[in-house]
Amino acid sequence: MKPYSLLARLLCYSSGLLLLALLSPLAFAAIIDVTPADKLQTILDTAKDGDELILAKGIYRGNFVVPRSISIKGNGEAIIDANGKGHGLLLTNSHITVDGLTIQNWGQDLTAQDSGIYSDKQASHIVLSNNHLQGSGFGIWLQKGQHIKVLGNTVIGNEALRSSDRGNGIQLSIVQNVLVKGNDVSGTRDGIYIISSQHNVIENNKMHNLRYGVHYMYSHSNKVMNNRAYATRAGYALMSSRLLTVTGNQSDNSEDYGFLLNFITSSTISHNRITNVWTKPENKVLGRDGKGLFVYNSAYNTLSHNLVQTAEIGIHLTAGSENTKVYANSFINNPLQVKYVANREEEWSLDGLGNYWSNYLGWDLNNDARGDTPFEPNDGIDKLVWQYPEAKILLDSPAILMLRWVQDQFPVLKPAGVKDSFPLMQPLVSASIEAQPLTTFATEQASLLATATGDPL
């Protein structure tokens, strides 16, 4: 083949590619300025794939459908008002971006799944960013989609309604590869609700004044990282799921649970902070106590490097929650550190590394940063009180004190329960949590662990 013939072919090939690029729909994409005086739905219907709509300041009333692969931007001043019914925006295509809009006053029919932004058409590559949504139904509902980003949005519910009558802030249903990051959700039922979904990341979100901050159901292979939940009934409610990685999160001022694990398997719960889990006096009933970690019917999980501070019960395991690795946690200032309802012995240490218990009274005579005697938080009297709560009035009686003494002198009489053979003499996390960024939490724990064990970082 002659050199000039090869060059000619390459030039023809390159020219063909350039022509195809110029003829593609995106090559003719337009920037369209829209005002409240325009008919927004007509513009949405006639837009071409790749177009960018810039909505001017003002109120756009109605329930709008987005059928094209376009971008809609509002610069924080354009308001979509749904007139109290239906969806604010219904997305029926892929490759849609919605940025900087205020969406308000959509419907509150939860059966109809009324939402500020709604997508259920197996759409992909949707970006929802920097939007402000306020309404009674669901904030953002995404179903059957994948490769979606939900970034920096604010979702505010209607606290005048009962919690059960509100929608969730951000709902992910049957989705994959979704990133939910940097959002602020308050006043809805649950902050972020994930059901039947895989390979998603929930990161750096703030959730408050809710029932549950993050709520998982029937999902696997998800990550929950560096989020903060406060003023909730439960910061993180993880149910009927597996292969979850939950790390670097914070739960403050929850009423019932910091972390609730119900039928969770093969998951890692680590480097989280749980503080101030206390049931309000007006809501107190027998058996309702604030629990830092509540583990129900869950097995083959790892709970490590967590801080549980000032909860009525530090950690409560029950209903077959066995074969769980519990080590390197710090339990501080919890009136009842452990409630373990089972009939087999559980060792809560790993490779010589136990947990820190603020009420441990043992010595460390060999200066290895571990107690010389095991920590066994519960005895037969505790189990008797759990079974018959009315017996609490007898706890300081001479008879009960004698029974505890007998158990100490004759360990064979002590029932099976939790045993930490290597209790730590210092917490692996700082007892003060004020104004400490979550991103420094893992670094702090690694440093303290190295100090406690004598191992270099």
Side-chain angles (χ1 to χ4, degrees), residues 184-439:
D184 187 321
V185 184
S186 64
T188 59
R189 180 171 53 193
D190 297 340
I192 302 174
Y193 180 87
I194 306 97
I195 183 169
S196 302
S197 299
Q198 297 82 44
H199 308 296
N200 306 294
V201 177
I202 313 299
E203 184 178 6
N204 278 325
N205 301 284
K206 182 167 67 174
M207 304 148 293
H208 50 104
N209 301 98
L210 308 158
R211 182 182 68 162
Y212 303 151
V214 173
H215 187 182
Y216 265 94
M217 294 290 296
Y218 312 115
S219 300
H220 68 80
S221 305
N222 286 262
K223 294 181 178 180
V224 183
M225 305 185 301
N226 301 321
N227 301 281
R228 186 185 180 204
Y230 62 93
T232 63
R233 283 187 56 192
Y236 304 82
L238 314 175
M239 305 182 185
S240 302
S241 299
R242 58 188 173 86
L243 297 172
L244 302 180
T245 299
V246 184
T247 183
N249 303 284
Q250 188 166 330
S251 175
D252 305 318
N253 297 310
S254 293
E255 187 168 359
D256 292 326
Y257 313 100
F259 281 69
L260 163 63
L261 280 65
N262 182 359
F263 196 35
I264 295 296
T265 57
S266 304
S267 296
T268 298
I269 316 297
S270 70
H271 299 89
N272 302 290
R273 291 175 179 266
I274 304 165
T275 61
N276 298 317
V277 187
W278 216 272
T279 303
K280 297 176 182 177
E282 61 269 25
N283 295 331
K284 268 291 186 184
V285 295
L286 192 63
R288 183 177 181 182
D289 300 298
K291 302 170 178 67
L293 290 164
F294 181 58
V295 186
Y296 182 90
N297 193 28
S298 299
Y300 303 100
N301 300 300
T302 297
L303 308 178
S304 72
H305 300 88
N306 301 291
L307 166 67
V308 182
Q309 181 176 356
T310 319
E312 290 179 273
I313 299 175
I315 178 169
H316 181 179
L317 275 79
T318 188
S321 298
E322 297 166 347
N323 296 301
T324 296
K325 297 177 181 177
V326 183
Y327 67 96
N329 302 287
S330 297
F331 295 92
I332 300 173
N333 194 32
N334 307 302
L336 180 60
Q337 296 278 38
V338 177
K339 185 173 181 178
Y340 174 72
V341 183
N343 293 315
R344 57 177 286 181
E345 184 171 305
E346 286 287 317
E347 173 61 45
W348 282 6
S349 65
L350 181 69
D351 298 330
L353 180 62
N355 305 274
Y356 174 77
W357 310 92
S358 60
N359 61 331
Y360 176 65
L361 300 177
W363 297 89
D364 177 22
L365 297 179
N366 60 355
N367 294 315
D368 66 351
R370 297 165 176 80
D372 296 331
T373 58
F375 178 72
E376 298 179 88
N378 305 133
D379 58 18
I381 304 303
D382 293 322
K383 295 194 174 185
L384 180 66
V385 171
W386 298 339
Q387 190 172 0
Y388 304 102
E390 300 84 356
K392 284 184 177 180
I393 62 173
L394 302 174
L395 282 179
D396 292 326
S397 68
I400 295 298
L401 295 175
M402 177 60 72
L403 285 174
R404 289 194 189 276
W405 180 84
V406 170
Q407 284 187 137
D408 290 337
Q409 300 304 310
F410 303 96
V412 69
L413 300 176
K414 184 177 291 188
V418 168
K419 180 180 181 181
D420 183 347
S421 297
F422 303 94
L424 301 176
M425 299 304 293
Q426 292 184 347
L428 290 181
V429 294
S430 171
S432 172
I433 64 165
E434 296 299 326
Q436 182 171 4
L438 284 172
T439 52

Side-chain angles (χ1 to χ4, degrees), residues 91 93-96 119-120 122-128 140-151 172-181 199-201:
L91 313 183
N93 209 327
S94 299
H95 297 278
I96 294 174
S119 172
D120 71 341
Q122 296 184 334
S124 65
H125 298 92
I126 289 175
V127 178
L128 308 176
I140 297 171
W141 182 298
L142 301 171
Q143 184 164 300
K144 300 178 183 178
Q146 56 182 328
H147 303 294
I148 296 173
K149 295 179 179 180
V150 183
L151 309 173
L172 308 181
S173 177
I174 322 175
V175 299
Q176 296 186 41
N177 299 300
V178 174
L179 173 63
V180 180
K181 184 174 182 179
H199 308 296
N200 306 294
V201 177

